[in-house]
Amino acid sequence: MVLDGGARRHGGFRRLPLTRAPIAGDLYPPSGIPAPTIVNLRGDRRPEIVASVPDGSVYAVGPGGRRLWRYDFARGAPETYASEVVAADLQGDRRPELVFGTYGAAPGSGRLVVISARGRKLHDLRLRDQGTNGNGIGIPAAPSIADIDRDGRLEIVVTTFDHGIDVYRASKRSRRAPWPTGRGGLLRSGT
């Protein structure tokens, strides 16, 4: 839901877009982080809302309240959830790609997923060295994206439940990252 000042529903959100029913699970791992990403997917002047939801999918909703697409990251696996979604131009084409991690209780739950601005799978990488520490397996927190080694290519840094930090490098040169970490930036201000 989007609210205007005074806590009134924004014009297009009088009839709310709905998700599927949440996946039932135990207390650990926790079932998802309700933090949306605000990013311009279409290249116009109005941003869209992208969010991972504990029903096993990532949704994109347009500024008028209409669902644009749904990406099924769980693929039917029980108790599989996703981190917050971040956005960066990983292909150097001035369009954002959407990046998130998956996590759960089952072996192999940890994956790093990159989808296009249209909700199509670009990469779905199973994490190496997955184990368990009793809290879960995989990437529970939003990835962070930056050019950490100053070579003109962005890196994706993820923290896992089970084995520490992993760093992945984009293959194309780009420094454009409109929503590079959880809550939008280092100050967590949503901008």
Side-chain angles (χ1 to χ4, degrees), residues 112 128 144 146 148 154-158 165-169:
L112 178 66
R128 296 169 290 153
S144 290
I148 60 176
L154 296 170
E155 283 79 35
I156 302 167
V157 181
V158 298
I165 295 174
D166 290 343
V167 179
Y168 297 86
R169 175 175 287 148

Side-chain angles (χ1 to χ4, degrees), residues 112-155:
L112 178 66
V113 181
V114 180
I115 59 177
S116 73
R118 295 180 180 209
R120 293 191 177 94
K121 178 178 82 170
L122 299 174
H123 302 281
D124 191 334
L125 308 168
R126 185 173 178 199
L127 298 180
R128 296 169 290 153
D129 303 323
Q130 291 188 48
T132 186
N133 64 6
N135 288 322
I137 299 166
I139 305 169
S144 290
I145 301 177
D147 182 5
I148 60 176
D149 59 3
R150 297 184 180 158
D151 68 349
R153 292 185 293 175
L154 296 170
E155 283 79 35

Side-chain angles (χ1 to χ4, degrees), residues 47-174:
E48 285 72 36
I49 302 165
V50 179
S52 58
V53 176
D55 71 353
S57 297
V58 169
Y59 291 84
V61 177
R66 187 175 62 88
R67 186 174 91 186
L68 304 175
W69 50 259
R70 177 180 70 86
Y71 179 80
D72 180 9
F73 62 80
R75 303 180 301 222
E79 294 186 47
T80 300
Y81 308 105
S83 72
E84 297 166 74
V85 178
V86 297
D89 177 12
L90 301 176
Q91 296 187 22
D93 59 4
R94 303 190 54 77
R95 283 180 272 177
E97 281 73 47
L98 305 170
V99 181
F100 60 93
T102 66
Y103 64 95
S109 296
R111 301 185 338 261
L112 178 66
V113 181
V114 180
I115 59 177
S116 73
R118 295 180 180 209
R120 293 191 177 94
K121 178 178 82 170
L122 299 174
H123 302 281
D124 191 334
L125 308 168
R126 185 173 178 199
L127 298 180
R128 296 169 290 153
D129 303 323
Q130 291 188 48
T132 186
N133 64 6
N135 288 322
I137 299 166
I139 305 169
S144 290
I145 301 177
D147 182 5
I148 60 176
D149 59 3
R150 297 184 180 158
D151 68 349
R153 292 185 293 175
L154 296 170
E155 283 79 35
I156 302 167
V157 181
V158 298
T159 303
T160 69
F161 269 131
D162 50 300
H163 68 272
I165 295 174
D166 290 343
V167 179
Y168 297 86
R169 175 175 287 148
S171 60
K172 305 287 183 181
R173 289 178 115 35
S174 174

